[in-house]
mmCIF file of all heavy atoms in Angstrom:
data_model
loop_
_atom_site.group_PDB
_atom_site.id
_atom_site.type_symbol
_atom_site.label_atom_id
_atom_site.label_comp_id
_atom_site.label_asym_id
_atom_site.label_seq_id
_atom_site.Cartn_x
_atom_site.Cartn_y
_atom_site.Cartn_z
ATOM 1 N N VAL A 20 -149.571 -34.611 -84.019
ATOM 2 C CA VAL A 20 -148.848 -35.165 -82.973
ATOM 3 C C VAL A 20 -147.330 -35.127 -83.313
ATOM 4 O O VAL A 20 -146.511 -34.759 -82.474
ATOM 5 C CB VAL A 20 -149.267 -36.626 -82.621
ATOM 6 C CG1 VAL A 20 -148.270 -37.344 -81.807
ATOM 7 C CG2 VAL A 20 -150.629 -36.580 -81.985
ATOM 8 N N VAL A 21 -147.010 -35.522 -84.516
ATOM 9 C CA VAL A 21 -145.602 -35.522 -84.944
ATOM 10 C C VAL A 21 -145.044 -34.118 -84.957
ATOM 11 O O VAL A 21 -143.928 -33.895 -84.402
ATOM 12 C CB VAL A 21 -145.547 -36.102 -86.429
ATOM 13 C CG1 VAL A 21 -144.170 -35.763 -87.049
ATOM 14 C CG2 VAL A 21 -145.734 -37.599 -86.416
ATOM 15 N N VAL A 22 -145.760 -33.167 -85.469
ATOM 16 C CA VAL A 22 -145.336 -31.757 -85.390
ATOM 17 C C VAL A 22 -145.079 -31.288 -83.950
ATOM 18 O O VAL A 22 -144.048 -30.656 -83.690
ATOM 19 C CB VAL A 22 -146.367 -30.886 -86.157
ATOM 20 C CG1 VAL A 22 -146.065 -29.419 -85.796
ATOM 21 C CG2 VAL A 22 -146.253 -31.087 -87.631
ATOM 22 N N ILE A 23 -146.044 -31.589 -83.059
ATOM 23 C CA ILE A 23 -145.940 -31.206 -81.704
ATOM 24 C C ILE A 23 -144.676 -31.806 -81.035
ATOM 25 O O ILE A 23 -143.913 -31.095 -80.394
ATOM 26 C CB ILE A 23 -147.174 -31.593 -80.935
ATOM 27 C CG1 ILE A 23 -148.304 -30.661 -81.349
ATOM 28 C CG2 ILE A 23 -146.937 -31.492 -79.407
ATOM 29 C CD1 ILE A 23 -149.697 -31.051 -80.813
ATOM 30 N N VAL A 24 -144.464 -33.077 -81.293
ATOM 31 C CA VAL A 24 -143.285 -33.752 -80.745
ATOM 32 C C VAL A 24 -141.961 -33.105 -81.265
ATOM 33 O O VAL A 24 -141.023 -32.833 -80.462
ATOM 34 C CB VAL A 24 -143.334 -35.286 -81.109
ATOM 35 C CG1 VAL A 24 -141.946 -35.918 -80.922
ATOM 36 C CG2 VAL A 24 -144.427 -35.990 -80.324
ATOM 37 N N ILE A 25 -141.903 -32.860 -82.535
ATOM 38 C CA ILE A 25 -140.742 -32.213 -83.095
ATOM 39 C C ILE A 25 -140.482 -30.835 -82.519
ATOM 40 O O ILE A 25 -139.335 -30.527 -82.100
ATOM 41 C CB ILE A 25 -140.918 -32.102 -84.674
ATOM 42 C CG1 ILE A 25 -140.775 -33.466 -85.257
ATOM 43 C CG2 ILE A 25 -139.831 -31.184 -85.222
ATOM 44 C CD1 ILE A 25 -141.069 -33.508 -86.746
ATOM 45 N N VAL A 26 -141.553 -30.105 -82.337
ATOM 46 C CA VAL A 26 -141.439 -28.755 -81.760
ATOM 47 C C VAL A 26 -140.938 -28.818 -80.327
ATOM 48 O O VAL A 26 -140.030 -28.114 -79.922
ATOM 49 C CB VAL A 26 -142.815 -27.992 -81.865
ATOM 50 C CG1 VAL A 26 -142.821 -26.809 -80.927
ATOM 51 C CG2 VAL A 26 -143.097 -27.567 -83.286
ATOM 52 N N VAL A 27 -141.501 -29.753 -79.575
ATOM 53 C CA VAL A 27 -141.098 -29.917 -78.162
ATOM 54 C C VAL A 27 -139.643 -30.319 -78.084
ATOM 55 O O VAL A 27 -138.880 -29.765 -77.245
ATOM 56 C CB VAL A 27 -142.024 -30.990 -77.502
ATOM 57 C CG1 VAL A 27 -141.408 -31.493 -76.207
ATOM 58 C CG2 VAL A 27 -143.388 -30.417 -77.231
ATOM 59 N N VAL A 28 -139.242 -31.249 -78.946
ATOM 60 C CA VAL A 28 -137.795 -31.652 -78.913
ATOM 61 C C VAL A 28 -136.894 -30.491 -79.258
ATOM 62 O O VAL A 28 -135.879 -30.264 -78.582
ATOM 63 C CB VAL A 28 -137.626 -32.840 -79.945
ATOM 64 C CG1 VAL A 28 -136.166 -33.039 -80.226
ATOM 65 C CG2 VAL A 28 -138.247 -34.113 -79.425
ATOM 66 N N ILE A 29 -137.237 -29.727 -80.278
ATOM 67 C CA ILE A 29 -136.409 -28.550 -80.650
ATOM 68 C C ILE A 29 -136.324 -27.575 -79.451
ATOM 69 O O ILE A 29 -135.251 -27.103 -79.142
ATOM 70 C CB ILE A 29 -137.027 -27.883 -81.910
ATOM 71 C CG1 ILE A 29 -136.794 -28.821 -83.134
ATOM 72 C CG2 ILE A 29 -136.417 -26.511 -82.126
ATOM 73 C CD1 ILE A 29 -137.469 -28.271 -84.364
ATOM 74 N N ILE A 30 -137.449 -27.342 -78.771
ATOM 75 C CA ILE A 30 -137.463 -26.382 -77.691
ATOM 76 C C ILE A 30 -136.591 -26.880 -76.551
ATOM 77 O O ILE A 30 -135.815 -26.163 -76.004
ATOM 78 C CB ILE A 30 -138.891 -26.187 -77.218
ATOM 79 C CG1 ILE A 30 -139.710 -25.347 -78.232
ATOM 80 C CG2 ILE A 30 -138.949 -25.492 -75.870
ATOM 81 C CD1 ILE A 30 -141.140 -25.186 -77.886
ATOM 82 N N ILE A 31 -136.671 -28.185 -76.285
ATOM 83 C CA ILE A 31 -135.871 -28.783 -75.214
ATOM 84 C C ILE A 31 -134.348 -28.651 -75.574
ATOM 85 O O ILE A 31 -133.564 -28.260 -74.753
ATOM 86 C CB ILE A 31 -136.258 -30.239 -75.015
ATOM 87 C CG1 ILE A 31 -137.612 -30.296 -74.333
ATOM 88 C CG2 ILE A 31 -135.200 -30.984 -74.163
ATOM 89 C CD1 ILE A 31 -138.175 -31.681 -74.219
ATOM 90 N N MET A 32 -134.012 -28.945 -76.829
ATOM 91 C CA MET A 32 -132.623 -28.821 -77.302
ATOM 92 C C MET A 32 -132.143 -27.415 -77.095
ATOM 93 O O MET A 32 -131.039 -27.062 -76.580
ATOM 94 C CB MET A 32 -132.501 -29.205 -78.803
ATOM 95 C CG MET A 32 -132.911 -30.611 -78.986
ATOM 96 S SD MET A 32 -131.472 -31.762 -78.924
ATOM 97 C CE MET A 32 -130.607 -31.188 -80.361
ATOM 98 N N LEU A 33 -132.960 -26.450 -77.484
ATOM 99 C CA LEU A 33 -132.596 -25.028 -77.375
ATOM 100 C C LEU A 33 -132.371 -24.626 -75.908
ATOM 101 O O LEU A 33 -131.428 -23.973 -75.550
ATOM 102 C CB LEU A 33 -133.750 -24.144 -77.953
ATOM 103 C CG LEU A 33 -133.675 -24.013 -79.468
ATOM 104 C CD1 LEU A 33 -134.915 -23.198 -79.931
ATOM 105 C CD2 LEU A 33 -132.410 -23.316 -79.946
ATOM 106 N N ILE A 34 -133.282 -25.083 -75.022
ATOM 107 C CA ILE A 34 -133.110 -24.797 -73.570
ATOM 108 C C ILE A 34 -131.861 -25.393 -73.029
ATOM 109 O O ILE A 34 -131.099 -24.728 -72.328
ATOM 110 C CB ILE A 34 -134.372 -25.364 -72.840
ATOM 111 C CG1 ILE A 34 -135.600 -24.505 -73.163
ATOM 112 C CG2 ILE A 34 -134.135 -25.358 -71.348
ATOM 113 C CD1 ILE A 34 -136.872 -25.092 -72.606
ATOM 114 N N ILE A 35 -131.536 -26.647 -73.439
ATOM 115 C CA ILE A 35 -130.298 -27.272 -72.989
ATOM 116 C C ILE A 35 -129.091 -26.504 -73.494
ATOM 117 O O ILE A 35 -128.122 -26.216 -72.693
ATOM 118 C CB ILE A 35 -130.236 -28.728 -73.462
ATOM 119 C CG1 ILE A 35 -131.274 -29.558 -72.682
ATOM 120 C CG2 ILE A 35 -128.880 -29.329 -73.319
ATOM 121 C CD1 ILE A 35 -131.451 -30.976 -73.244
ATOM 122 N N LEU A 36 -129.159 -26.050 -74.710
ATOM 123 C CA LEU A 36 -128.029 -25.291 -75.306
ATOM 124 C C LEU A 36 -127.866 -23.950 -74.507
ATOM 125 O O LEU A 36 -126.754 -23.578 -74.150
ATOM 126 C CB LEU A 36 -128.374 -24.908 -76.743
ATOM 127 C CG LEU A 36 -127.739 -25.851 -77.852
ATOM 128 C CD1 LEU A 36 -128.309 -25.485 -79.191
ATOM 129 C CD2 LEU A 36 -126.225 -25.809 -77.781
ATOM 130 N N LEU A 37 -128.947 -23.315 -74.223
ATOM 131 C CA LEU A 37 -128.929 -22.025 -73.449
ATOM 132 C C LEU A 37 -128.311 -22.281 -72.108
ATOM 133 O O LEU A 37 -127.425 -21.558 -71.674
ATOM 134 C CB LEU A 37 -130.383 -21.533 -73.297
ATOM 135 C CG LEU A 37 -130.826 -20.511 -74.331
ATOM 136 C CD1 LEU A 37 -132.271 -20.194 -74.139
ATOM 137 C CD2 LEU A 37 -129.968 -19.247 -74.289
ATOM 138 N N ILE A 38 -128.730 -23.318 -71.409
ATOM 139 C CA ILE A 38 -128.190 -23.660 -70.095
ATOM 140 C C ILE A 38 -126.688 -23.879 -70.169
ATOM 141 O O ILE A 38 -125.914 -23.396 -69.357
ATOM 142 C CB ILE A 38 -128.938 -24.843 -69.503
ATOM 143 C CG1 ILE A 38 -130.333 -24.471 -69.135
ATOM 144 C CG2 ILE A 38 -128.187 -25.421 -68.271
ATOM 145 C CD1 ILE A 38 -131.218 -25.608 -68.744
ATOM 146 N N MET A 39 -126.250 -24.657 -71.154
ATOM 147 C CA MET A 39 -124.790 -24.926 -71.358
ATOM 148 C C MET A 39 -124.050 -23.599 -71.553
ATOM 149 O O MET A 39 -122.996 -23.395 -70.990
ATOM 150 C CB MET A 39 -124.635 -25.913 -72.531
ATOM 151 C CG MET A 39 -124.993 -27.330 -72.168
ATOM 152 S SD MET A 39 -124.773 -28.467 -73.499
ATOM 153 C CE MET A 39 -123.025 -28.454 -73.673
ATOM 154 N N ILE A 40 -124.551 -22.778 -72.431
ATOM 155 C CA ILE A 40 -123.924 -21.504 -72.696
ATOM 156 C C ILE A 40 -123.830 -20.649 -71.448
ATOM 157 O O ILE A 40 -122.753 -20.110 -71.110
ATOM 158 C CB ILE A 40 -124.728 -20.771 -73.806
ATOM 159 C CG1 ILE A 40 -124.526 -21.401 -75.186
ATOM 160 C CG2 ILE A 40 -124.285 -19.298 -73.868
ATOM 161 C CD1 ILE A 40 -125.369 -20.864 -76.256
ATOM 162 N N ILE A 41 -124.889 -20.649 -70.658
ATOM 163 C CA ILE A 41 -124.906 -19.804 -69.399
ATOM 164 C C ILE A 41 -123.848 -20.378 -68.457
ATOM 165 O O ILE A 41 -123.083 -19.640 -67.875
ATOM 166 C CB ILE A 41 -126.297 -19.867 -68.772
ATOM 167 C CG1 ILE A 41 -127.230 -19.000 -69.628
ATOM 168 C CG2 ILE A 41 -126.273 -19.378 -67.323
ATOM 169 C CD1 ILE A 41 -128.650 -19.111 -69.213
#
Side-chain angles (χ1 to χ4, degrees):
V20 164
V21 165
V22 164
I23 287 173
V24 164
I25 288 174
V26 164
V27 164
V28 164
I29 287 175
I30 287 174
I31 288 173
M32 297 270 289
L33 278 175
I34 288 173
I35 288 173
L36 264 174
L37 265 174
I38 289 172
M39 284 179 68
I40 288 173
I41 288 172

